[in-house]
Amino acid sequence: MALDIVVNDSHGKIEKSISLYIDDYDFIMDKIEHSNIFPLLKKIFSDYYGDGEVYLNELECLKKEVLIFDEKFRSVYPKTISDFIAIFLSIIDYAVTNRKTIQLIGD
């Protein structure tokens, strides 16, 4: 089971996606849940099994939070988080460029 993060085309077909698995999710949540500098990350990752959406007006803030997370915790997180962040950032950039929202789909 994973939290799927996707960008769909206008017909609902997935254009870009990545899955966030529970161990990496737990690591991320452990680092952000007691911090005030990640409000959007906390909001979108608040329910691993639920659904959510990141709207166009939130994408730049999301990117900033992910970059701050990367800078702050890069030295302590595993390679799986590093890989996730690289792909997640590319999905955010794709969504910004193509004016798409990002969907979060819990299993």
Side-chain angles (χ1 to χ4, degrees), residues 23-80:
D23 290 340
D24 292 337
Y25 172 85
D26 288 342
F27 180 91
I28 291 169
M29 289 306 293
D30 181 60
K31 299 299 182 200
I32 68 173
E33 68 186 343
H34 300 294
S35 174
N36 293 329
I37 60 175
F38 303 109
L40 192 52
L41 279 173
K42 282 195 270 189
K43 179 183 129 190
I44 67 170
F45 289 151
S46 66
D47 185 3
Y48 184 77
Y49 299 102
D51 296 339
E53 187 168 11
V54 183
Y55 299 102
L56 295 173
N57 64 329
E58 298 173 311
L59 291 172
E60 289 296 335
C61 289
L62 177 61
K63 182 176 180 177
K64 287 177 188 172
E65 287 185 24
V66 172
L67 289 169
I68 291 168
F69 179 90
D70 184 43
E71 182 179 314
K72 190 170 176 81
F73 300 111
R74 180 181 310 140
S75 64
V76 296
Y77 60 60
K79 181 167 179 1
T80 55

Side-chain angles (χ1 to χ4, degrees), residues 10-23:
S10 59
H11 303 289
K13 182 181 172 197
I14 295 174
E15 293 180 335
K16 299 281 183 184
S17 69
I18 188 169
S19 295
L20 178 60
Y21 295 96
I22 193 73
D23 290 340

Side-chain angles (χ1 to χ4, degrees), residues 12 36 42 80 83 91-92 96:
N36 293 329
K42 282 195 270 189
T80 55
D83 294 344
I91 288 172
I92 295 168
V96 168

